[in-house]
């Protein structure tokens, strides 16, 4: 699809008679496409996900607001990358060598941070290299390095949860969608009044945009990865993922399919035995990536509309 065609689709959805449409009309149109599979091959899937998850502003659908939000998020990621991904080999050498050297154990030194990151990144890369998705983009070394940086930065910003196995499987579809939408050719869009919007799909910022999108999604999934709380002198509390699994079986399934609910109860099947990976990965392991992306279209749109938890349902 040429960029002129993509911009035409964008204008049809967001613009009427040279002015931005009412946000409510935009949402109804976009949500309708999400539930009908209408975002496939439009180049707008990444825009829809960013809008529904909140990395693009929801209340202001103007091109100016979106471009400003994209620029701000990209600049913030660049700062975080420079701050967190320390590399003492690239230091200018002006710091105290008694503190900043590989053998020093001074807390907070560049070398101390570097070695901590190396341990974290070793764990992350072990999972990333095992990613069971067949798309060439997701198997490339360059993509693995992008995923490593994104997950390292997110884990460093959230030490209470840090990195947990499976987070790379949440990130992969987000990165793939942004990459796929960024590949559309650049010819022929210069005459459009909305041509500047093409920077929303800029391939140079796929990593930056993926971090923003992953961070917003993890606001809703973080508790499913968090370890269970263990209050002093009190029984441990069920983890967030266990609570969601129990709700899935004991409330939603009971309401939707009572016979199956009774059968599982009679067999004493604990919901976390089958539903934990569904909840954490949003069914990402259960279907081919093309189907997962279409499913996520509807999940994200439904979440944004209803303010519900991402597993469903309701």
């Amino acid at each position: 699809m040429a960029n002129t065609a993509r911009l035409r689709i964008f204008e049809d959805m967001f613009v009427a008679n040279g002015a931005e449409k009412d946000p409510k009309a935009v949402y109804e149109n976009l949500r309708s496409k999400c539930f009908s599979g209408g975002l496939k091959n439009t180049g707008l899937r990444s825009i829809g996900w960013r809008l529904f998850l909140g990395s693009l502003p929801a209340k202001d659908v103007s091109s100016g607001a979106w471009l400003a939000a994209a620029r701000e998020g990209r600049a913030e990621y660049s700062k975080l990358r420079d701050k967190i991904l320390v590399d003492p080999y690239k230091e200018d050498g002006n710091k105290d060598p008694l503190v900043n050297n590989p053998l020093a154990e001074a807390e907070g030194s560049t070398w101390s941070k570097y070695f901590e990151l190396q341990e974290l990144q070793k764990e992350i890369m072990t999972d990333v290299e095992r990613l069971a998705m067949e798309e060439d983009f997701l198997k490339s070394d360059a993509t693995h390095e992008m995923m490593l940086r994104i997950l390292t930065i997110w884990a460093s910003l959230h030490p209470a949860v840090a990195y947990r196995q499976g987070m790379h499987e949440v990130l992969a579809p987000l990165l793939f969608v942004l990459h796929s939408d960024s590949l559309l050719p650049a010819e022929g869009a210069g005459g459009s009044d909305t041509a500047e919007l093409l920077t929303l799909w800029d391939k140079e910022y796929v990593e930056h945009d993926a971090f923003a999108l992953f961070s917003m999604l993890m606001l809703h999934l973080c508790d499913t990865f968090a370890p269970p709380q263990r209050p002093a002198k009190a029984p441990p509390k069920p983890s967030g993922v266990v609570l969601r699994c129990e709700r899935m079986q004991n409330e939603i399934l009971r309401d939707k399919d009572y016979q199956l609910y009774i059968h599982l109860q009679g067999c004493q099947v604990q919901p976390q035995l089958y539903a934990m990976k569904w909840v954490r990965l949003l069914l990402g392991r259960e279907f081919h990536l093309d189907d997962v992306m279409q499913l996520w279209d509807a999940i994200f749109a439904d979440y944004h509309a209803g303010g519900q938890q991402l597993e469903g349902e309701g």
Side-chain angles (χ1 to χ4, degrees), residues 5-50:
R6 173 166 48 170
L7 288 171
R8 192 177 306 114
I9 293 172
F10 186 95
E11 290 170 343
D12 288 343
M13 182 173 294
F14 293 95
V15 179
N17 299 320
E20 281 85 2
K21 290 182 179 179
D22 178 76
K24 291 182 178 180
V26 171
Y27 278 115
E28 288 305 314
N29 191 356
L30 192 57
R31 288 184 70 244
S32 176
K33 289 184 180 297
C34 286
F35 291 124
S36 65
L39 291 186
K40 186 176 182 179
N41 298 325
T42 64
L44 296 180
R45 174 170 274 147
S46 61
I47 297 296
W49 288 13
R50 291 156 77 182

mmCIF file of all heavy atoms in Angstrom, residues 5-50:
data_model
loop_
_atom_site.group_PDB
_atom_site.id
_atom_site.type_symbol
_atom_site.label_atom_id
_atom_site.label_comp_id
_atom_site.label_asym_id
_atom_site.label_seq_id
_atom_site.Cartn_x
_atom_site.Cartn_y
_atom_site.Cartn_z
ATOM 1 N N ALA A 5 -2.301 6.073 -0.373
ATOM 2 C CA ALA A 5 -3.482 5.275 -0.034
ATOM 3 C C ALA A 5 -3.684 5.229 1.469
ATOM 4 O O ALA A 5 -4.805 5.328 1.975
ATOM 5 C CB ALA A 5 -3.337 3.860 -0.601
ATOM 6 N N ARG A 6 -2.580 5.090 2.200
ATOM 7 C CA ARG A 6 -2.697 5.048 3.657
ATOM 8 C C ARG A 6 -3.228 6.371 4.194
ATOM 9 O O ARG A 6 -4.101 6.400 5.068
ATOM 10 C CB ARG A 6 -1.333 4.737 4.273
ATOM 11 C CG ARG A 6 -1.332 4.852 5.787
ATOM 12 C CD ARG A 6 -0.135 4.253 6.465
ATOM 13 N NE ARG A 6 1.115 4.641 5.864
ATOM 14 C CZ ARG A 6 2.295 4.378 6.419
ATOM 15 N NH1 ARG A 6 2.356 3.737 7.559
ATOM 16 N NH2 ARG A 6 3.415 4.731 5.830
ATOM 17 N N LEU A 7 -2.711 7.496 3.659
ATOM 18 C CA LEU A 7 -3.183 8.791 4.110
ATOM 19 C C LEU A 7 -4.644 9.013 3.741
ATOM 20 O O LEU A 7 -5.397 9.658 4.469
ATOM 21 C CB LEU A 7 -2.305 9.903 3.528
ATOM 22 C CG LEU A 7 -0.898 9.996 4.138
ATOM 23 C CD1 LEU A 7 -0.054 10.977 3.349
ATOM 24 C CD2 LEU A 7 -0.967 10.404 5.594
ATOM 25 N N ARG A 8 -5.058 8.459 2.602
ATOM 26 C CA ARG A 8 -6.461 8.577 2.207
ATOM 27 C C ARG A 8 -7.349 7.836 3.211
ATOM 28 O O ARG A 8 -8.399 8.337 3.618
ATOM 29 C CB ARG A 8 -6.661 8.018 0.794
ATOM 30 C CG ARG A 8 -8.018 8.348 0.192
ATOM 31 C CD ARG A 8 -8.126 7.840 -1.231
ATOM 32 N NE ARG A 8 -7.029 8.316 -2.062
ATOM 33 C CZ ARG A 8 -6.098 7.534 -2.599
ATOM 34 N NH1 ARG A 8 -6.129 6.227 -2.379
ATOM 35 N NH2 ARG A 8 -5.137 8.032 -3.343
ATOM 36 N N ILE A 9 -6.928 6.639 3.604
ATOM 37 C CA ILE A 9 -7.677 5.893 4.618
ATOM 38 C C ILE A 9 -7.710 6.675 5.928
ATOM 39 O O ILE A 9 -8.744 6.779 6.594
ATOM 40 C CB ILE A 9 -7.044 4.510 4.838
ATOM 41 C CG1 ILE A 9 -7.207 3.641 3.587
ATOM 42 C CG2 ILE A 9 -7.659 3.808 6.040
ATOM 43 C CD1 ILE A 9 -6.453 2.335 3.651
ATOM 44 N N PHE A 10 -6.558 7.240 6.293
ATOM 45 C CA PHE A 10 -6.467 8.017 7.523
ATOM 46 C C PHE A 10 -7.414 9.216 7.473
ATOM 47 O O PHE A 10 -8.160 9.476 8.424
ATOM 48 C CB PHE A 10 -5.023 8.496 7.721
ATOM 49 C CG PHE A 10 -4.784 9.181 9.027
ATOM 50 C CD1 PHE A 10 -4.290 8.480 10.115
ATOM 51 C CD2 PHE A 10 -5.057 10.536 9.185
ATOM 52 C CE1 PHE A 10 -4.072 9.117 11.326
ATOM 53 C CE2 PHE A 10 -4.844 11.178 10.394
ATOM 54 C CZ PHE A 10 -4.338 10.465 11.466
ATOM 55 N N GLU A 11 -7.388 9.937 6.361
ATOM 56 C CA GLU A 11 -8.243 11.114 6.237
ATOM 57 C C GLU A 11 -9.721 10.743 6.268
ATOM 58 O O GLU A 11 -10.540 11.448 6.876
ATOM 59 C CB GLU A 11 -7.897 11.860 4.945
ATOM 60 C CG GLU A 11 -6.532 12.542 4.996
ATOM 61 C CD GLU A 11 -6.091 13.060 3.643
ATOM 62 O OE1 GLU A 11 -6.666 12.612 2.622
ATOM 63 O OE2 GLU A 11 -5.181 13.901 3.592
ATOM 64 N N ASP A 12 -10.066 9.629 5.616
ATOM 65 C CA ASP A 12 -11.467 9.195 5.626
ATOM 66 C C ASP A 12 -11.938 8.895 7.050
ATOM 67 O O ASP A 12 -13.093 9.137 7.393
ATOM 68 C CB ASP A 12 -11.641 7.945 4.754
ATOM 69 C CG ASP A 12 -11.524 8.253 3.267
ATOM 70 O OD1 ASP A 12 -11.625 9.439 2.903
ATOM 71 O OD2 ASP A 12 -11.324 7.308 2.489
ATOM 72 N N MET A 13 -11.030 8.394 7.858
ATOM 73 C CA MET A 13 -11.411 8.006 9.207
ATOM 74 C C MET A 13 -11.397 9.186 10.166
ATOM 75 O O MET A 13 -12.266 9.306 11.043
ATOM 76 C CB MET A 13 -10.474 6.909 9.727
ATOM 77 C CG MET A 13 -10.829 6.407 11.124
ATOM 78 S SD MET A 13 -9.822 4.991 11.614
ATOM 79 C CE MET A 13 -10.388 3.757 10.454
ATOM 80 N N PHE A 14 -10.433 10.091 10.013
ATOM 81 C CA PHE A 14 -10.222 11.115 11.027
ATOM 82 C C PHE A 14 -10.585 12.536 10.584
ATOM 83 O O PHE A 14 -10.671 13.427 11.416
ATOM 84 C CB PHE A 14 -8.747 11.114 11.472
ATOM 85 C CG PHE A 14 -8.347 9.875 12.202
ATOM 86 C CD1 PHE A 14 -7.753 8.819 11.528
ATOM 87 C CD2 PHE A 14 -8.557 9.743 13.562
ATOM 88 C CE1 PHE A 14 -7.374 7.670 12.194
ATOM 89 C CE2 PHE A 14 -8.187 8.595 14.234
ATOM 90 C CZ PHE A 14 -7.594 7.552 13.557
ATOM 91 N N VAL A 15 -10.767 12.743 9.284
ATOM 92 C CA VAL A 15 -10.966 14.101 8.787
ATOM 93 C C VAL A 15 -12.233 14.162 7.940
ATOM 94 O O VAL A 15 -12.538 13.244 7.184
ATOM 95 C CB VAL A 15 -9.751 14.564 7.949
ATOM 96 C CG1 VAL A 15 -9.965 15.974 7.414
ATOM 97 C CG2 VAL A 15 -8.470 14.489 8.773
ATOM 98 N N ALA A 16 -12.966 15.270 8.062
ATOM 99 C CA ALA A 16 -14.152 15.507 7.238
ATOM 100 C C ALA A 16 -14.175 16.976 6.831
ATOM 101 O O ALA A 16 -14.111 17.862 7.680
ATOM 102 C CB ALA A 16 -15.424 15.151 8.011
ATOM 103 N N ASN A 17 -14.247 17.226 5.524
ATOM 104 C CA ASN A 17 -14.312 18.589 5.004
ATOM 105 C C ASN A 17 -13.170 19.464 5.516
ATOM 106 O O ASN A 17 -13.358 20.632 5.876
ATOM 107 C CB ASN A 17 -15.663 19.231 5.366
ATOM 108 C CG ASN A 17 -16.831 18.471 4.776
ATOM 109 O OD1 ASN A 17 -16.762 18.007 3.636
ATOM 110 N ND2 ASN A 17 -17.909 18.337 5.554
ATOM 111 N N GLY A 18 -11.980 18.872 5.585
ATOM 112 C CA GLY A 18 -10.797 19.636 5.964
ATOM 113 C C GLY A 18 -10.623 19.837 7.447
ATOM 114 O O GLY A 18 -9.662 20.483 7.876
ATOM 115 N N ALA A 19 -11.514 19.323 8.288
ATOM 116 C CA ALA A 19 -11.399 19.476 9.744
ATOM 117 C C ALA A 19 -11.470 18.113 10.416
ATOM 118 O O ALA A 19 -12.080 17.181 9.890
ATOM 119 C CB ALA A 19 -12.510 20.381 10.271
ATOM 120 N N GLU A 20 -10.824 18.025 11.602
ATOM 121 C CA GLU A 20 -10.861 16.761 12.322
ATOM 122 C C GLU A 20 -12.293 16.432 12.742
ATOM 123 O O GLU A 20 -13.052 17.313 13.156
ATOM 124 C CB GLU A 20 -9.965 16.812 13.575
ATOM 125 C CG GLU A 20 -8.488 16.635 13.307
ATOM 126 C CD GLU A 20 -7.797 17.937 12.934
ATOM 127 O OE1 GLU A 20 -8.478 18.981 12.932
ATOM 128 O OE2 GLU A 20 -6.584 17.916 12.647
ATOM 129 N N LYS A 21 -12.642 15.169 12.623
ATOM 130 C CA LYS A 21 -13.966 14.724 13.024
ATOM 131 C C LYS A 21 -14.112 14.754 14.546
ATOM 132 O O LYS A 21 -13.123 14.793 15.286
ATOM 133 C CB LYS A 21 -14.218 13.301 12.529
ATOM 134 C CG LYS A 21 -14.374 13.167 11.028
ATOM 135 C CD LYS A 21 -14.672 11.724 10.649
ATOM 136 C CE LYS A 21 -14.853 11.564 9.144
ATOM 137 N NZ LYS A 21 -15.116 10.160 8.766
ATOM 138 N N ASP A 22 -15.333 14.701 14.982
ATOM 139 C CA ASP A 22 -15.610 14.602 16.412
ATOM 140 C C ASP A 22 -14.969 13.332 16.962
ATOM 141 O O ASP A 22 -15.094 12.256 16.355
ATOM 142 C CB ASP A 22 -17.118 14.557 16.648
ATOM 143 C CG ASP A 22 -17.449 14.407 18.117
ATOM 144 O OD1 ASP A 22 -17.330 15.389 18.847
ATOM 145 O OD2 ASP A 22 -17.811 13.280 18.516
ATOM 146 N N PRO A 23 -14.246 13.422 18.098
ATOM 147 C CA PRO A 23 -13.556 12.240 18.640
ATOM 148 C C PRO A 23 -14.467 11.033 18.835
ATOM 149 O O PRO A 23 -14.053 9.900 18.600
ATOM 150 C CB PRO A 23 -13.008 12.747 19.979
ATOM 151 C CG PRO A 23 -12.831 14.215 19.784
ATOM 152 C CD PRO A 23 -13.950 14.631 18.885
ATOM 153 N N LYS A 24 -15.723 11.275 19.234
ATOM 154 C CA LYS A 24 -16.629 10.147 19.439
ATOM 155 C C LYS A 24 -16.893 9.407 18.132
ATOM 156 O O LYS A 24 -16.940 8.171 18.102
ATOM 157 C CB LYS A 24 -17.943 10.636 20.052
ATOM 158 C CG LYS A 24 -17.807 11.133 21.485
ATOM 159 C CD LYS A 24 -19.159 11.553 22.051
ATOM 160 C CE LYS A 24 -19.024 12.006 23.493
ATOM 161 N NZ LYS A 24 -20.348 12.426 24.056
ATOM 162 N N ALA A 25 -17.038 10.160 17.058
ATOM 163 C CA ALA A 25 -17.266 9.529 15.755
ATOM 164 C C ALA A 25 -16.026 8.750 15.313
ATOM 165 O O ALA A 25 -16.127 7.658 14.739
ATOM 166 C CB ALA A 25 -17.617 10.597 14.719
ATOM 167 N N VAL A 26 -14.865 9.316 15.582
ATOM 168 C CA VAL A 26 -13.612 8.625 15.243
ATOM 169 C C VAL A 26 -13.529 7.302 15.972
ATOM 170 O O VAL A 26 -13.201 6.261 15.384
ATOM 171 C CB VAL A 26 -12.400 9.516 15.591
ATOM 172 C CG1 VAL A 26 -11.110 8.726 15.459
ATOM 173 C CG2 VAL A 26 -12.374 10.739 14.690
ATOM 174 N N TYR A 27 -13.832 7.316 17.258
ATOM 175 C CA TYR A 27 -13.725 6.094 18.047
ATOM 176 C C TYR A 27 -14.702 5.023 17.603
ATOM 177 O O TYR A 27 -14.348 3.849 17.527
ATOM 178 C CB TYR A 27 -13.910 6.400 19.535
ATOM 179 C CG TYR A 27 -12.649 6.891 20.176
ATOM 180 C CD1 TYR A 27 -12.562 8.183 20.676
ATOM 181 C CD2 TYR A 27 -11.518 6.084 20.240
ATOM 182 C CE1 TYR A 27 -11.399 8.650 21.224
ATOM 183 C CE2 TYR A 27 -10.354 6.552 20.800
ATOM 184 C CZ TYR A 27 -10.287 7.835 21.295
ATOM 185 O OH TYR A 27 -9.122 8.293 21.829
ATOM 186 N N GLU A 28 -15.908 5.440 17.316
ATOM 187 C CA GLU A 28 -16.884 4.460 16.865
ATOM 188 C C GLU A 28 -16.448 3.831 15.551
ATOM 189 O O GLU A 28 -16.578 2.614 15.352
ATOM 190 C CB GLU A 28 -18.259 5.120 16.719
ATOM 191 C CG GLU A 28 -18.928 5.449 18.037
ATOM 192 C CD GLU A 28 -19.053 4.226 18.942
ATOM 193 O OE1 GLU A 28 -19.460 3.149 18.455
ATOM 194 O OE2 GLU A 28 -18.715 4.342 20.138
ATOM 195 N N ASN A 29 -15.902 4.634 14.664
ATOM 196 C CA ASN A 29 -15.411 4.139 13.379
ATOM 197 C C ASN A 29 -14.230 3.189 13.581
ATOM 198 O O ASN A 29 -14.192 2.083 13.034
ATOM 199 C CB ASN A 29 -15.001 5.322 12.501
ATOM 200 C CG ASN A 29 -14.731 4.916 11.059
ATOM 201 O OD1 ASN A 29 -14.774 3.739 10.708
ATOM 202 N ND2 ASN A 29 -14.453 5.897 10.224
ATOM 203 N N LEU A 30 -13.281 3.616 14.392
ATOM 204 C CA LEU A 30 -12.088 2.812 14.615
ATOM 205 C C LEU A 30 -12.407 1.519 15.363
ATOM 206 O O LEU A 30 -11.916 0.440 15.024
ATOM 207 C CB LEU A 30 -11.061 3.629 15.392
ATOM 208 C CG LEU A 30 -9.638 3.067 15.473
ATOM 209 C CD1 LEU A 30 -9.063 2.841 14.089
ATOM 210 C CD2 LEU A 30 -8.739 4.012 16.270
ATOM 211 N N ARG A 31 -13.258 1.609 16.367
ATOM 212 C CA ARG A 31 -13.642 0.412 17.120
ATOM 213 C C ARG A 31 -14.386 -0.575 16.235
ATOM 214 O O ARG A 31 -14.199 -1.784 16.329
ATOM 215 C CB ARG A 31 -14.504 0.782 18.330
ATOM 216 C CG ARG A 31 -13.740 1.460 19.446
ATOM 217 C CD ARG A 31 -14.626 1.705 20.657
ATOM 218 N NE ARG A 31 -14.963 0.456 21.321
ATOM 219 C CZ ARG A 31 -16.198 -0.034 21.426
ATOM 220 N NH1 ARG A 31 -17.230 0.610 20.901
ATOM 221 N NH2 ARG A 31 -16.414 -1.166 22.051
ATOM 222 N N SER A 32 -15.233 -0.049 15.367
ATOM 223 C CA SER A 32 -15.964 -0.921 14.441
ATOM 224 C C SER A 32 -15.000 -1.699 13.558
ATOM 225 O O SER A 32 -15.172 -2.904 13.333
ATOM 226 C CB SER A 32 -16.914 -0.082 13.591
ATOM 227 O OG SER A 32 -17.565 -0.882 12.620
ATOM 228 N N LYS A 33 -13.961 -1.031 13.080
ATOM 229 C CA LYS A 33 -12.964 -1.706 12.252
ATOM 230 C C LYS A 33 -12.188 -2.741 13.062
ATOM 231 O O LYS A 33 -11.828 -3.799 12.551
ATOM 232 C CB LYS A 33 -12.015 -0.687 11.636
ATOM 233 C CG LYS A 33 -12.653 0.180 10.554
ATOM 234 C CD LYS A 33 -11.643 1.112 9.910
ATOM 235 C CE LYS A 33 -12.295 1.967 8.828
ATOM 236 N NZ LYS A 33 -12.814 1.147 7.708
ATOM 237 N N CYS A 34 -11.925 -2.435 14.324
ATOM 238 C CA CYS A 34 -11.217 -3.383 15.184
ATOM 239 C C CYS A 34 -12.012 -4.674 15.364
ATOM 240 O O CYS A 34 -11.463 -5.779 15.279
ATOM 241 C CB CYS A 34 -10.948 -2.759 16.552
ATOM 242 S SG CYS A 34 -9.647 -1.515 16.570
ATOM 243 N N PHE A 35 -13.286 -4.560 15.599
ATOM 244 C CA PHE A 35 -14.104 -5.743 15.860
ATOM 245 C C PHE A 35 -14.439 -6.526 14.595
ATOM 246 O O PHE A 35 -14.788 -7.704 14.671
ATOM 247 C CB PHE A 35 -15.398 -5.338 16.575
ATOM 248 C CG PHE A 35 -15.178 -4.854 17.982
ATOM 249 C CD1 PHE A 35 -15.615 -3.606 18.381
ATOM 250 C CD2 PHE A 35 -14.511 -5.647 18.910
ATOM 251 C CE1 PHE A 35 -15.400 -3.163 19.676
ATOM 252 C CE2 PHE A 35 -14.295 -5.209 20.201
ATOM 253 C CZ PHE A 35 -14.735 -3.956 20.590
ATOM 254 N N SER A 36 -14.310 -5.883 13.446
ATOM 255 C CA SER A 36 -14.633 -6.564 12.183
ATOM 256 C C SER A 36 -13.396 -7.015 11.426
ATOM 257 O O SER A 36 -13.513 -7.551 10.327
ATOM 258 C CB SER A 36 -15.458 -5.631 11.292
ATOM 259 O OG SER A 36 -14.691 -4.501 10.903
ATOM 260 N N GLY A 37 -12.210 -6.789 12.004
ATOM 261 C CA GLY A 37 -10.982 -7.134 11.299
ATOM 262 C C GLY A 37 -10.593 -6.122 10.260
ATOM 263 O O GLY A 37 -9.773 -6.397 9.379
ATOM 264 N N GLY A 38 -11.129 -4.926 10.352
ATOM 265 C CA GLY A 38 -10.932 -3.928 9.312
ATOM 266 C C GLY A 38 -9.624 -3.174 9.357
ATOM 267 O O GLY A 38 -9.360 -2.353 8.484
ATOM 268 N N LEU A 39 -8.774 -3.426 10.362
ATOM 269 C CA LEU A 39 -7.479 -2.737 10.410
ATOM 270 C C LEU A 39 -6.391 -3.482 9.656
ATOM 271 O O LEU A 39 -5.316 -2.926 9.418
ATOM 272 C CB LEU A 39 -7.033 -2.532 11.866
ATOM 273 C CG LEU A 39 -7.840 -1.545 12.695
ATOM 274 C CD1 LEU A 39 -7.195 -1.354 14.053
ATOM 275 C CD2 LEU A 39 -7.978 -0.207 11.986
ATOM 276 N N LYS A 40 -6.664 -4.708 9.280
ATOM 277 C CA LYS A 40 -5.651 -5.498 8.588
ATOM 278 C C LYS A 40 -5.297 -4.853 7.255
ATOM 279 O O LYS A 40 -6.165 -4.457 6.479
ATOM 280 C CB LYS A 40 -6.167 -6.926 8.369
ATOM 281 C CG LYS A 40 -5.128 -7.864 7.780
ATOM 282 C CD LYS A 40 -5.684 -9.283 7.692
ATOM 283 C CE LYS A 40 -4.628 -10.233 7.146
ATOM 284 N NZ LYS A 40 -5.133 -11.627 7.064
ATOM 285 N N ASN A 41 -3.999 -4.714 7.013
ATOM 286 C CA ASN A 41 -3.478 -4.192 5.748
ATOM 287 C C ASN A 41 -3.860 -2.743 5.468
ATOM 288 O O ASN A 41 -3.828 -2.307 4.325
ATOM 289 C CB ASN A 41 -3.936 -5.064 4.568
ATOM 290 C CG ASN A 41 -3.433 -6.485 4.670
ATOM 291 O OD1 ASN A 41 -2.321 -6.727 5.151
ATOM 292 N ND2 ASN A 41 -4.246 -7.436 4.240
ATOM 293 N N THR A 42 -4.209 -1.995 6.501
ATOM 294 C CA THR A 42 -4.513 -0.580 6.310
ATOM 295 C C THR A 42 -3.340 0.308 6.690
ATOM 296 O O THR A 42 -3.319 1.485 6.333
ATOM 297 C CB THR A 42 -5.715 -0.147 7.168
ATOM 298 O OG1 THR A 42 -5.368 -0.276 8.560
ATOM 299 C CG2 THR A 42 -6.951 -0.979 6.852
ATOM 300 N N GLY A 43 -2.393 -0.223 7.441
ATOM 301 C CA GLY A 43 -1.312 0.603 7.974
ATOM 302 C C GLY A 43 -1.725 1.391 9.199
ATOM 303 O O GLY A 43 -0.933 2.159 9.746
ATOM 304 N N LEU A 44 -2.958 1.194 9.660
ATOM 305 C CA LEU A 44 -3.460 1.956 10.798
ATOM 306 C C LEU A 44 -3.533 1.141 12.088
ATOM 307 O O LEU A 44 -3.952 1.670 13.117
ATOM 308 C CB LEU A 44 -4.850 2.524 10.474
ATOM 309 C CG LEU A 44 -4.917 3.539 9.334
ATOM 310 C CD1 LEU A 44 -6.354 4.002 9.138
ATOM 311 C CD2 LEU A 44 -4.013 4.728 9.613
ATOM 312 N N ARG A 45 -3.144 -0.111 12.026
ATOM 313 C CA ARG A 45 -3.222 -0.935 13.241
ATOM 314 C C ARG A 45 -2.358 -0.350 14.356
ATOM 315 O O ARG A 45 -2.792 -0.266 15.518
ATOM 316 C CB ARG A 45 -2.798 -2.367 12.933
ATOM 317 C CG ARG A 45 -2.704 -3.255 14.159
ATOM 318 C CD ARG A 45 -2.524 -4.709 13.779
ATOM 319 N NE ARG A 45 -3.803 -5.353 13.544
ATOM 320 C CZ ARG A 45 -4.007 -6.321 12.658
ATOM 321 N NH1 ARG A 45 -3.000 -6.735 11.893
ATOM 322 N NH2 ARG A 45 -5.195 -6.864 12.528
ATOM 323 N N SER A 46 -1.146 0.063 14.024
ATOM 324 C CA SER A 46 -0.266 0.616 15.058
ATOM 325 C C SER A 46 -0.852 1.898 15.634
ATOM 326 O O SER A 46 -0.700 2.173 16.838
ATOM 327 C CB SER A 46 1.134 0.872 14.495
ATOM 328 O OG SER A 46 1.105 1.816 13.436
ATOM 329 N N ILE A 47 -1.525 2.697 14.805
ATOM 330 C CA ILE A 47 -2.165 3.916 15.296
ATOM 331 C C ILE A 47 -3.303 3.561 16.249
ATOM 332 O O ILE A 47 -3.443 4.149 17.321
ATOM 333 C CB ILE A 47 -2.697 4.758 14.124
ATOM 334 C CG1 ILE A 47 -1.552 5.217 13.231
ATOM 335 C CG2 ILE A 47 -3.495 5.954 14.641
ATOM 336 C CD1 ILE A 47 -0.570 6.140 13.894
ATOM 337 N N GLY A 48 -4.118 2.578 15.863
ATOM 338 C CA GLY A 48 -5.214 2.161 16.723
ATOM 339 C C GLY A 48 -4.721 1.665 18.074
ATOM 340 O O GLY A 48 -5.268 2.037 19.116
ATOM 341 N N TRP A 49 -3.684 0.847 18.070
ATOM 342 C CA TRP A 49 -3.161 0.322 19.332
ATOM 343 C C TRP A 49 -2.606 1.440 20.203
ATOM 344 O O TRP A 49 -2.836 1.470 21.416
ATOM 345 C CB TRP A 49 -2.076 -0.717 19.055
ATOM 346 C CG TRP A 49 -2.599 -2.016 18.513
ATOM 347 C CD1 TRP A 49 -3.848 -2.270 18.028
ATOM 348 C CD2 TRP A 49 -1.876 -3.246 18.395
ATOM 349 N NE1 TRP A 49 -3.951 -3.572 17.619
ATOM 350 C CE2 TRP A 49 -2.753 -4.196 17.823
ATOM 351 C CE3 TRP A 49 -0.574 -3.628 18.688
ATOM 352 C CZ2 TRP A 49 -2.372 -5.510 17.567
ATOM 353 C CZ3 TRP A 49 -0.175 -4.945 18.432
ATOM 354 C CH2 TRP A 49 -1.076 -5.875 17.882
ATOM 355 N N ARG A 50 -1.881 2.355 19.588
ATOM 356 C CA ARG A 50 -1.303 3.460 20.363
ATOM 357 C C ARG A 50 -2.399 4.358 20.920
ATOM 358 O O ARG A 50 -2.279 4.893 22.037
ATOM 359 C CB ARG A 50 -0.339 4.256 19.477
ATOM 360 C CG ARG A 50 0.912 3.477 19.125
ATOM 361 C CD ARG A 50 1.582 3.955 17.855
ATOM 362 N NE ARG A 50 2.339 5.169 18.043
ATOM 363 C CZ ARG A 50 2.975 5.807 17.063
ATOM 364 N NH1 ARG A 50 2.906 5.334 15.818
ATOM 365 N NH2 ARG A 50 3.657 6.895 17.317
#
